[in-house]
Amino acid sequence: MVQAPPAPWIGASLPRVDGISKVTGRARYLDDLPAAGAWHGATVRSDIAHGVLEALDFDPAFDWSSVVVVTAADIAAQGGHNVIRLIQDDQPALVPVGGKVMHAHEPLALVAAPSRALARAAAAAVRPRIQPLPAVLSAKDALAGSVALHGTDNVFKSFLIRKGHREDAELERALASAALVIEGEYTTSPQEQMYIEPQAMMSSWHDGRCHIVGSMQCPYYVHKAMKTLLACKDDEVVISQSVTGGGFGGKEEYPSMIAAHAALLARKAGRAVKLVYDRDEDIAATTKRHPAWIRHRLGVDASGEPVAIDVDVVMDGGAYLTLSQVVLSRGVLHAAGPYRCPVVRVRGRVVATNHPPHGAFRGFGAPQTTFAYERQMDKLARARGEDPLALRKRLALRSGDTTATGQALTFSVGTDAVLAAIERAAGPPPQRAGRSLAGSPLRRGRGVCFYFHGAGFTGSGEARLAGRAAVAVVLPSGAEAASAAPVRFEVRSSSTDIGQGSITMFSQIAAASLGCDPQLVRVIDPTTDKVPDSGPTVASRTCMVVGRVVEQACRTLRGRLEAWRAARGPAAESLSLPEVAAAMARELASDGKELVELVQYEPPPGIVWDDDSYTGSAYPVYGWAACLVDVAVDLDTYEVSVLRCVQAVDVGKAINPVIVRGQIEGGTLQALGWALIENVIYKDGKVANANMTNCIVPTFADAPELETVLVEEPYPYGPGGAKGVGEIPMDGPAAAVANAVEDALGCAFDSLPISPEKIATALRQASARSDGKAGVP
Amino acid sequence: MTAYLRPRSLAEAVAARAAEPGYLVLAGGTDLMVNANHRPAPAGLIDLWRLPGAGEISLDAERGQLAIGAGATWLQVQRHPLVVRHAAILAAAAREIGALQIQARGTIGGNVANSSPVGDSLPVLLALEAELELCSVRGTRRLPYREFCTGYRTTALGADELVSAVLVPVAAPAVRLFWRKVGTRRAQSISKVMAAAAIHLEDGVVRRATVAFGAVADRPVRLAGVEAAVVGLAPAQAAEAARAAVAGAIAPISDVRSTSDYRLQVAENLAARMFSELS
Amino acid sequence: MKVTLTLNGQEAAVEVPPWRRLLDVLRDDLSLTGTKEGCGEGECGACTVLLDGEPVNSCLVAAGQCDGRAVTTVEGLATHRRGEEILHAVQRQLVACGGAQCGICTPGIAVCAAHLLERGLGAPGDGANDGASDGAGVGAQAALPLAGKSEAEARAAVRELLAGNICRCTGYQLVVEAVLAAAREVADGDAGATGRPS
């Protein structure tokens, strides 16, 4: 048999499959879906952080006959369990009367009405009576333990990584032997995902099933949660993703909550109910990036070689566990950084507070710990008078080295390539002093950083998850029958396209593997009764893991088609692959069978992970990246401008380079925003800046021209060599900014965001130290 | 049901205002329409958007004033050659309000009447010693802008009055203008500190200065103490005198956007910068 | 009240309360769901439409204010010739250059960028749009969007003029590329580039 020509679709920047529907406004997001007769839902929330819900009072002046009200009592009445199932069943869908309110903005009751305005009015006419309890409003308070929210110590989960030592005393001895120990303490702020489409969900009950459609990343997370909440069997709940206007982790776990509410309302109202959050509600109530408090010690010998690293990570999990332990896990697994070191200890704790639960956000714990270790590396360079990039080149992990968990790196290590790319792009550093157009003095500086990101689920996660995807041959029917195409190849997976381009990417992978035109491939919308569970759309795994499964399904199918053709002898020789597929599908159809290939993910060989000791292969492969940032600080206003931002990322193989660039640049700007201007401000446990005016993200005018370098160190077990890219661009740039600001001003900034207010304070303190002399040291 | 009135002239507008004092006066809606779907509908609207004649910008050569109709949008203000020539800092301020969509709708009259302490054009109007033209069925009066803001979002506007024009004295060539907005980000930004000044420099010394700040008090403020401190000084000395005079003159607050310390520090820096840039 | 407007070039009439947001009128009363709501407070620009030819946030426009005026939405950007849809240059380039990801901000960006291309990427104060002080908006000079601008100036102008449209996916870089590519297409004299009658 003749080998197929090399697949031209891998590495081609095909236009996005859903592009035209999006630029014309025809793409229908949840709130755009026709919903004749649907009612609108609204949520009654707590306005205090901790207390006992004594009663829900209903304003007698309101006409309650015109609306439907759901409380926790309705869940049990239908045999369901009042819990949003995830890792631990600790978060209720609605706080029951008599139960504890654990955070501000927590859902207490639901209403539905024929119009949005009436639903809002009804929600406002429900008056919760809450007996306040003392609240825990920071991780430090949680650890102090004066109020117990979880167990006796408020620790949801802790992890310990030890490398090269067995007891703490050994670690301390190693640090004591160091010629130089860099000690630092770092804090990072909560961050709002700020997808531009607010959370939205619609539910209706018909055909004996509960149907839920909405904006989400993980249809099977919602499916699992609904079965428990609604006491339904597998096939009694159908979850479909609508076109989703961004997620970034924010639509990973929280949609289960909104789906629960929509389903409960729809069941009681006996009609479809739409639940669309307003922006203010979305910012206040849904998850944010975990704020973190990280202490880091880095000891080196006289030659500058690391002898020991000790990291202590504390994250504020908020009121319920949700995904916090997994976020913490990824945080600690990245905390020692991509640097060689014989002795490493990483301790991590995520604690309970009365903040709204913190949750998934691009990077998933790694940006927090990356910020800390890359500040540390910069301080080491400064202390030794060593060039910061040279230091990273000297200490970075390479093939043959082992990580903090003892994982030996053997392939796809892009260290040298990404560092070389940054070196090439660097050019001369910016002139230190200058003046702005407005006449203010400027100080400029440069920062670099180097980082890695484990792609796919942690440890044995992928093996446990066993994600599946299928490719089916679908014969044209109806209007399609007249078209020229003999068949289409239907890719079925639960991976959602939330803007990252998975539909296009899967089309390219399938076309390349089948040896057909991508026009013949259709990636169908994820609906739980039509697609297998491919695992969630998270963890930089969609292309690398699910794309791999799609690739294998298509290869297997192609093998079957070619075997079928070969078996039919010369008569079939001239048939094209799609024609063979059509003939074979017809043959199977006559037996009532479908021509379909369902494949389950198989982790690459040699992945061994031990959850008890936290040792082994934490991830099947890592992405590698380096970043260079030049900044200017205005000495009148203390505002930081990012003059340049170059990021080089080892992506294994870019299936679609333009889409990959878009992923990297989007993540980069989220990281620059987190570094400088983004913040969620809690006051008494409530979000004090719950609107887009005050909870700001960068605009066109704030963003620098972003320079992106794609590096390709192929991953042998990824589709076409690809590995994860979604999260890594979020990890490093914040540290690069902090390093650049320190370079510019000579003061350290170890707390995010590096706001003008913090810079003003730091410069004032610095000038007070230098004898009250005004200006910059 | 909300009533809707669209006057076709200023005369009709003031008549509507007099007849229906409870109606909401709406122009570009960039503030009043925020979250409009969450708020109770007003009894009625008096819609001044594109009120004929209300957006004109002209030069009153006799009085030496630029007359800017209250209905002029920020796009019109920033792009009008007369404004660019005679009140450059007003054009500059207009260009930094919100972004294009807000500039296409927000009007100078709306900014004045709404009287937010963070209204972006207001410190400029103070520094330029603008006057307002206020109209009602009772007639037309002029009021120095300085006397217009009476407190936090309160003004001297009568219940039956409308702001019909902003009158900006044409700056003499020897007068140097300064404007700086410090916001939460580069665009679509609420101000944390704004500084505006008109400085008359003669023979190398400051003869007279008007210095105004925004977002540092419950209303936009002129800083008489700073203005007095700099008279007769060369720029470098004036800069230090201005810096020193700010602290006693304002006591800004801390809020979700910034801190009291930062606002004061930046106000001091900008007060100094206004003068140090002169040399 | 009865609001009569020219919507994407066609006369339309709708009976709505005057205080209702134009955004809701478009989406709920006229079933034009291409215009999106991202914030309801004039911050994100997802709801951008042209009102009498100028880009505005439709969440901040009262329905009554639209009576007798012209409104253009994303649905009105493309033209049709012999039944075939011809995308606006901006739409075409947003697809080609990767300027649309999740797509929720894209209609607003497309509308605003199309306006910039047709009305000129003129920097404020440069006289490109002087003149009209009442009635129908700020002048309508022919578009020579990139004329006399360096690459860096053109990029800076795009960034300033699109700053009212927030995108969380792209980091803006590929959107800037797309708008400049569309501007070049228009400047190169491709008559069909904007897809609209001049």
Side-chain angles (χ1 to χ4, degrees), chain A residues 213-233:
Chain A
V213 56
S215 186
M216 67 180 82
Q217 293 177 221
C218 312
Y220 275 98
Y221 275 9
V222 178
H223 189 257
K224 180 178 161 187
M226 291 312 101
K227 285 192 295 177
T228 303
L229 179 97
L230 303 169
C232 286
K233 297 192 187 70

Side-chain angles (χ1 to χ4, degrees), chain A residues 447-634:
Chain A
V448 296
C449 68
F450 172 63
Y451 40 103
F452 67 156
H453 194 96
F457 268 22
T458 300
S460 41
E462 292 294 350
R464 252 199 320 267
L465 195 68
R468 292 170 301 145
V471 59
V473 175
V474 177
L475 292 164
S477 59
E480 279 181 317
S483 75
V487 287
R488 65 185 151 79
F489 297 98
E490 194 171 272
V491 174
R492 299 171 182 168
S493 92
S494 67
S495 295
T496 52
D497 196 323
I498 53 173
Q500 86 283 36
S502 58
I503 295 173
T504 309
M505 199 169 61
F506 283 177
S507 300
Q508 291 181 237
I509 291 170
S513 312
L514 288 164
C516 73
D517 191 286
Q519 300 280 352
L520 295 184
V521 178
R522 181 165 313 161
V523 180
I524 64 168
D525 294 340
T527 295
T528 53
D529 66 349
K530 296 195 172 59
V531 299
D533 186 354
S534 318
T537 303
V538 304
S540 307
R541 66 184 291 280
T542 298
C543 176
M544 182 179 100
V545 173
V546 186
R548 169 71 163 180
V549 177
V550 169
E551 182 185 58
Q552 289 184 326
C554 291
R555 281 184 183 163
T556 309
L557 176 64
R558 182 176 182 170
R560 281 176 68 187
L561 295 174
E562 284 168 352
W564 189 93
R565 175 162 58 189
R568 268 142 196 85
E573 252 173 28
S574 65
L575 291 180
S576 70
L577 189 97
E579 286 165 341
V580 173
M584 189 175 169
R586 254 182 238 111
E587 192 178 279
L588 281 169
S590 63
D591 291 344
K593 288 183 191 148
E594 190 182 30
L595 178 47
V596 60
E597 202 58 53
L598 176 71
V599 168
Q600 179 172 315
Y601 180 69
E602 277 185 33
I607 298 291
V608 180
W609 173 255
D610 181 44
D611 254 326
D612 295 325
S613 62
Y614 246 56
T615 55
S617 298
Y619 301 96
V621 71
Y622 296 82
W624 305 84
C627 180
L628 174 143
V629 163
D630 288 347
V631 299
V633 186
D634 184 312

Side-chain angles (χ1 to χ4, degrees), chain A residues 1 56 80 158 171 216 283 328-329 365 384 413 436 492 518 570 625 674 690 699 709 732 734 775:
Chain A
M1 195 176 68
L56 292 166
S158 61
L171 170 89
M216 67 180 82
I283 295 176
L328 177 68
S329 164
R384 288 178 44 82
V413 182
S436 72
R492 299 171 182 168
W674 187 50
T699 70
V709 184

Side-chain angles (χ1 to χ4, degrees), chain A residues 40 220 301 410 534:
Chain A
H40 298 269
Y220 275 98
D301 66 18
T410 55
S534 318

